[in-house]
Amino acid sequence: MHHRHILFAAASALTLIAGDALAQTKQAATAETSVEELVVTGTRTAGRSRLDTLAPVDVINAESLQRQGTATELATALSSLTPALDFPRPAITDGTDAVRPATLRGLAPDQTLVLVNGMRGHVSALVNVNGSIGRGSTAFDLNTIPTVAIDQVEVLRDGASAQYGADAIAGVINLRLRKARSGGSLTANYGIYDTSVDNVRGSRHAHDGLTESLAGWQGLPLGDKGFLTVSGEYVIRHPTNRSDYVDLNTLPAYGREIVLGRYGDPGVRSLAFYGNAGLPLNDTWELYGYAGWQHRDTDSAATARAYNNANNVAALTPGGFLPRIDTDLDDYSVQGGIRGEVAGWKTDLGASFGRNTLDYYTVNSVNASFGAASQRNFYSGSLGYDQALVDFNVSRGFEVGLVAPLNVAGGIEYRHEGFWIDPGEPASYTLGPITNKAGNSQGFPGFRPSNSVDVSRHNWSAYADVEGKLTDKLGFDVAGRYEDYSDFGSKWTGKVSGRYDFNEAFAIRGSASKGFKAPALQQQYFTYTSTNNTLVGNTFQLIEVGTFPVSSSVAKALGAKPLEPETSTNFSLGTVFRTGNFELTIDAYHIKIKNRIVLSENLPNTNTPAATAAVINSILQPLGISAARFFINGVDTTTKGVDIVARYRLPTDTMGRFDFTAAANLNKTNVDKTPALPAISNLPQPPFLFDRGNVLSYEEGTPESKLVGTVDWSMGDLGGTLKVTHYDSVLVPNNNPTFDYTTGQATLVDLEARYQFPHGVGAALGVNNLFDKYPNNTPGNISSPTGSIGFPSYSPYGFNGRFLYGRVSVKW
């Protein structure tokens, strides 16, 4: 019923606004307005402004990103500015702690395509396989690009596979790098959490997460008209901890209240450099390109092991231990090309290469099967992904008797992808002489030689796009694309968009499209054994879970089949209204996705029939694991919602200038179909592959509403920002409803004050989450005796509390 209310509200608003807009005079419509931001995303016609597009596009400039108080995380800043984008902060989820997934319109992280300077960016090597939003996905890591390197971000909130290629089901994020041949700035940020933590077993004050960063950019001339803009950032962020106290009834030997676990943001140390360049060769042709590199070290924690844990080694760690997972991430990319004009056709030939690698280290751990002889620190292996791409695009306007030239665009693209897994050192996965103990590094077992993978694939695509205006009021765009992959075959996609401007104040727009998402190499070939905190019966236990590629004999025995592409059907209908200093956009959408790729249940699980569980256990017993899982197709979903953005600019003579923004995303996903039970003859009764907890994660794991209100004020050298964000409650589900709980609704208030000193020096003080709001804490029936998990990782705004920060910058 919720989505019906959403669509009814949108339809009512469209009707009311249409009536008001048609009554406006042209004089009112042409009242004082600011210069519109020009966009390149969602259109191949030059010169379109943000409010003139055929689909909704958010435009976020560098200054807005800087004012979010985050300073170091692009994804956090974007989620703060775009209601349709959420960026949860999972913890104790292995590599996902270091590479957090972002979601657009409540869909999977890998259903949004990320471009850098208009060209497809490379995704992370990581695949999210543990209990976080985005489980089973592999996506672009937004935090590999520092905010200081970015001039503008364009978020296209519409399906765009036909325009930009596979994976653009939810939309497209285009990161446009700085372009300057002079000037520059240097900014120092300092921040820390100052918060009261209220857990189930007690309260305490936390003063942690100290963040320090230094970021700068410089524009340099190349020739008479060219530019080279170099940017760099260095960040140190200390970890946060929101774990609960230990349960002294279960662990009496501790004898006092202590926090044994570490649940929160990881420690981070990162260094990044980016260079963006353009060099005109003459009046027609230009060379362009960029290069970027980031090295990021993270230090996260696994579940704490108490002194009485079955795999504790008392001779080494008499009080238990807290395993830590350190990752060394290297991400680099390079792009280059030439653009100009040939016989009236605008021509662009470009190429790019990107690589992302993660090296894992398990620290402060033990391999219990070696007893007191165990080492404490382990190299646990690595993941890698790379992408090479060649892109050729042309466009030209044709006079065909319409009111404006018909813009015809087309192009071809070739892409090559590679994915690999390298094993860790033997001690991280080898069973020692004590055979009744776990034979791996606790917290993050190392990749084994049997997990080694080195695979690749290629694909090519061709598209055509025609955009024009049939009349002064009616515009249209028709796009089609063909893609052929070396591993699963080919796909056609198409899109039709239209816009009707009733007058200069009011327009309606809409689109219908077909899209798809290709199965990632990581989803097809990832294999690993991990330690998961899993519900077994009525208690949560640490068990060893194996993830197997669909081509493996184990996965096939349990019902796995080759992965197929996801497909989508997208519909949108919206309105644009502007008069004087006021603007309003409302866009409703309906996204139906078939054959979604998901990670199966752990098999066997609580709901697996006993006879079936016995057969599965006989398959897994020689591998030394308690459960298995693999990727599958077969989940169908329908997502419906509305995006609303309103803005009003109010200049005054005595109180300065005010900029009011109100935005909302109302969103609901329903699971229409789950995978059929596998027909495996040697299993007495097939097991469920996608159970209650996973279904509810799709339906209720992201907020059904997110509302943001912002006031920006400036008067001379003074300025300030007040932002209020309301998040709807989300469900933290389990297969057993007894263990369900919610995050609760929350309203967060952020405040920043700024002052501009002479000589380009500026300073700001701010606070995020002024009133120290938290999600509901982890209930007592779920919290482990060690108290490792203090708050829900599904919380759309995290669980760190109040953050205080200061910023000093100098511009020249």
Side-chain angles (χ1 to χ4, degrees):
M1 291 297 291
H2 181 80
H3 68 269
R4 295 178 184 172
H5 295 312
I6 292 174
L7 297 176
F8 178 78
S12 300
L14 287 169
T15 303
L16 291 172
I17 293 169
D20 289 341
L22 291 172
Q24 297 289 329
T25 64
K26 288 189 176 182
Q27 287 79 13
T30 56
E32 178 186 354
T33 58
S34 64
V35 176
E36 288 287 0
E37 301 100 327
L38 299 182
V39 300
V40 298
T41 311
T43 179
R44 299 187 189 276
T45 299
R48 282 206 183 274
S49 71
R50 174 175 54 84
L51 294 180
D52 290 332
T53 56
L54 278 67
V57 179
D58 295 321
V59 178
I60 302 165
N61 59 35
E63 188 177 60
S64 296
L65 292 173
Q66 185 184 54
R67 291 179 178 176
Q68 300 313 301
T70 54
T72 60
E73 288 194 325
L74 173 60
T76 304
L78 288 177
S79 68
S80 180
L81 292 163
T82 306
L85 188 74
D86 283 308
F87 185 57
R89 308 183 75 84
I92 309 187
T93 50
D94 293 350
T96 305
D97 289 18
V99 184
R100 297 191 181 103
T103 66
L104 184 65
R105 288 181 163 177
L107 299 180
D110 54 6
Q111 291 169 338
T112 298
L113 177 63
V114 177
L115 311 176
V116 183
N117 281 355
M119 190 175 290
R120 175 186 288 264
H122 64 276
V123 300
S124 169
L126 177 78
V127 57
N128 301 293
V129 294
N130 289 327
S132 66
I133 294 297
R135 181 176 184 264
S137 65
T138 180
F140 187 95
D141 182 2
L142 288 168
N143 289 333
T144 55
I145 300 182
T147 57
V148 70
I150 292 174
D151 178 61
Q152 182 170 292
V153 179
E154 297 172 1
V155 182
L156 171 63
R157 292 178 275 113
D158 198 30
S161 292
Q163 294 165 295
Y164 295 103
D167 310 339
I169 288 177
V172 175
I173 298 175
N174 188 9
L175 308 176
R176 297 174 63 180
L177 303 180
R178 287 187 185 272
K179 298 169 63 175
R181 54 183 276 119
S182 63
S185 75
L186 185 66
T187 301
N189 290 275
Y190 180 94
I192 196 165
Y193 288 98
D194 182 29
T195 180
S196 296
V197 185
D198 295 318
N199 292 117
V200 170
R201 299 183 186 127
S203 302
R204 67 185 190 276
H205 188 82
H207 201 65
D208 59 11
L210 174 66
T211 301
E212 300 168 291
S213 72
L214 186 65
W217 67 272
Q218 175 66 55
L220 302 169
L222 280 183
D224 294 334
K225 296 182 180 179
F227 71 90
L228 169 63
T229 308
V230 293
S231 307
E233 180 184 66
Y234 180 63
V235 178
I236 299 175
R237 186 168 64 245
H238 295 261
T240 62
N241 189 1
R242 303 296 177 261
S243 287
D244 203 349
Y245 293 102
V246 299
D247 182 1
L248 292 177
N249 293 321
T250 307
L251 302 171
Y254 286 115
R256 58 186 175 87
E257 286 188 335
I258 64 168
V259 177
L260 191 63
R262 201 185 89 192
Y263 185 73
D265 289 356
V268 175
R269 185 183 299 265
S270 71
L271 179 65
F273 292 102
Y274 268 77
N276 189 36
L279 178 63
L281 299 177
N282 51 40
D283 292 339
T284 305
W285 290 90
E286 175 192 24
L287 295 174
Y288 65 87
Y290 81 86
W293 167 82
Q294 184 197 61
H295 178 79
R296 187 164 81 223
D297 295 329
T298 68
D299 169 24
S300 60
T303 304
R305 270 61 168 177
Y307 59 84
N308 60 353
N309 185 280
N311 289 303
N312 184 42
V313 179
L316 294 176
T317 54
F321 60 99
L322 177 65
R324 301 202 318 272
I325 303 169
D326 292 356
T327 63
D328 287 357
L329 182 150
D330 281 287
D331 186 277
Y332 65 85
S333 56
V334 60
Q335 179 200 92
I338 184 170
R339 52 180 165 239
E341 189 170 309
V342 177
W345 288 87
K346 294 179 181 178
T347 305
D348 189 333
L349 174 62
S352 69
F353 179 80
R355 173 170 290 181
N356 181 273
T357 60
L358 288 92
D359 291 312
Y360 290 94
Y361 299 86
T362 307
V363 180
N364 194 44
S365 182
V366 297
N367 182 330
S369 66
F370 285 93
S374 172
Q375 62 191 68
R376 300 298 310 280
N377 301 322
F378 306 83
Y379 170 64
S380 301
S382 67
L383 301 175
Y385 173 88
D386 61 25
Q387 171 188 280
L389 183 146
V390 179
D391 198 49
F392 178 68
N393 300 280
V394 296
S395 66
R396 180 179 176 181
F398 289 90
E399 294 290 350
V400 294
L402 300 177
V403 296
L406 184 71
N407 193 75
V408 177
I412 56 175
E413 179 182 278
Y414 175 82
R415 180 158 49 107
H416 183 277
E417 300 173 89
F419 172 64
W420 62 93
I421 300 175
D422 291 331
E425 62 177 302
S428 68
Y429 57 80
T430 300
L431 180 64
I434 307 175
T435 56
N436 64 340
K437 297 285 187 178
N440 51 54
S441 50
Q442 295 297 296
F444 190 91
F447 291 104
R448 307 176 185 189
S450 60
N451 299 140
S452 294
V453 166
D454 190 354
V455 293
S456 64
R457 72 174 176 195
H458 65 268
N459 81 294
W460 68 270
S461 63
Y463 78 91
D465 191 325
V466 179
E467 186 174 358
K469 298 193 75 172
L470 295 176
T471 69
D472 286 335
K473 299 180 181 295
L474 179 60
F476 71 94
D477 181 59
V478 179
R481 192 180 195 97
Y482 175 80
E483 299 208 30
D484 185 81
Y485 283 75
S486 59
D487 51 359
F488 67 80
S490 60
K491 275 290 178 185
W492 284 94
T493 55
K495 182 176 182 178
V496 177
S497 305
R499 175 182 173 121
Y500 189 84
D501 287 84
F502 290 90
N503 54 33
E504 294 183 13
F506 177 71
I508 59 173
R509 59 191 179 189
S511 68
S513 64
K514 289 283 190 179
F516 84 102
K517 194 199 85 66
L521 286 175
Q522 294 92 317
Q523 292 171 323
Q524 296 184 73
Y525 296 103
F526 180 77
T527 173
Y528 177 57
T529 299
S530 60
T531 305
N532 293 166
N533 191 37
T534 303
L535 181 65
V536 179
N538 290 318
T539 61
F540 285 86
Q541 300 177 17
L542 297 176
I543 65 171
E544 301 298 311
V545 179
T547 302
F548 293 91
V550 294
S551 57
S552 70
S553 59
V554 172
K556 288 179 179 178
L558 299 177
K561 297 179 180 179
L563 295 180
E564 301 174 352
E566 303 176 355
T567 59
S568 71
T569 304
N570 295 51
F571 297 99
S572 69
L573 177 64
T575 183
V576 178
F577 176 66
R578 51 189 166 184
T579 179
N581 295 332
F582 177 74
E583 64 187 51
L584 172 68
T585 62
I586 302 176
D587 294 276
Y589 54 89
H590 180 287
I591 307 169
K592 191 170 185 65
I593 306 175
K594 293 185 176 181
N595 228 19
R596 289 181 72 158
I597 300 169
V598 298
L599 194 57
S600 77
E601 298 291 331
N602 292 337
L603 303 176
N605 57 58
T606 303
N607 297 325
T608 305
T612 302
V615 175
I616 295 175
N617 286 330
S618 67
I619 297 173
L620 303 182
Q621 192 275 331
L623 304 175
I625 58 176
S626 302
R629 58 190 180 186
F630 47 89
F631 284 90
I632 53 174
N633 286 105
V635 175
D636 294 353
T637 62
T638 300
T639 299
K640 300 178 182 181
V642 177
D643 292 324
I644 304 171
V645 181
R647 184 177 181 184
Y648 181 64
R649 303 168 185 85
L650 177 63
T652 68
D653 294 331
T654 58
M655 298 180 63
R657 178 186 176 90
F658 295 86
D659 194 338
F660 300 93
T661 304
N665 173 251
L666 311 176
N667 187 85
K668 176 63 178 175
T669 294
N670 289 316
V671 174
D672 306 319
K673 176 188 172 185
T674 57
L677 300 179
I680 307 297
S681 59
N682 63 334
L683 295 183
Q685 181 179 338
F688 286 101
L689 294 180
F690 199 73
D691 216 335
R692 175 185 184 275
N694 278 321
V695 169
L696 290 176
S697 290
Y698 276 71
E699 295 186 333
E700 301 182 43
T702 56
E704 293 188 7
S705 64
K706 178 182 174 183
L707 315 175
V708 182
T710 305
V711 181
D712 267 313
W713 168 77
S714 60
M715 186 173 67
D717 294 327
L718 284 171
T721 301
L722 171 66
K723 183 173 63 180
V724 180
T725 308
H726 178 79
Y727 296 90
D728 195 13
S729 179
V730 304
L731 179 70
V732 185
N734 279 282
N735 288 339
N736 184 342
T738 303
F739 296 95
D740 287 353
Y741 67 106
T742 62
T743 63
Q745 297 185 2
T747 301
L748 276 62
V749 177
D750 303 336
L751 185 64
E752 179 179 288
R754 298 178 292 274
Y755 186 77
Q756 189 66 38
F757 294 93
H759 308 297
V761 177
L765 293 174
V767 54
N768 288 346
N769 195 357
L770 175 64
F771 298 108
D772 206 19
K773 295 294 185 180
Y774 273 83
N776 296 332
N777 50 35
T778 303
N781 66 332
I782 294 178
S783 180
S784 67
T786 62
S788 290
I789 301 176
F791 293 93
S793 64
Y794 278 33
S795 171
Y797 58 91
F799 44 81
N800 280 316
R802 183 192 299 112
F803 183 70
L804 309 174
Y805 66 89
R807 182 175 67 247
V808 177
S809 62
V810 57
K811 297 180 180 179
W812 55 86

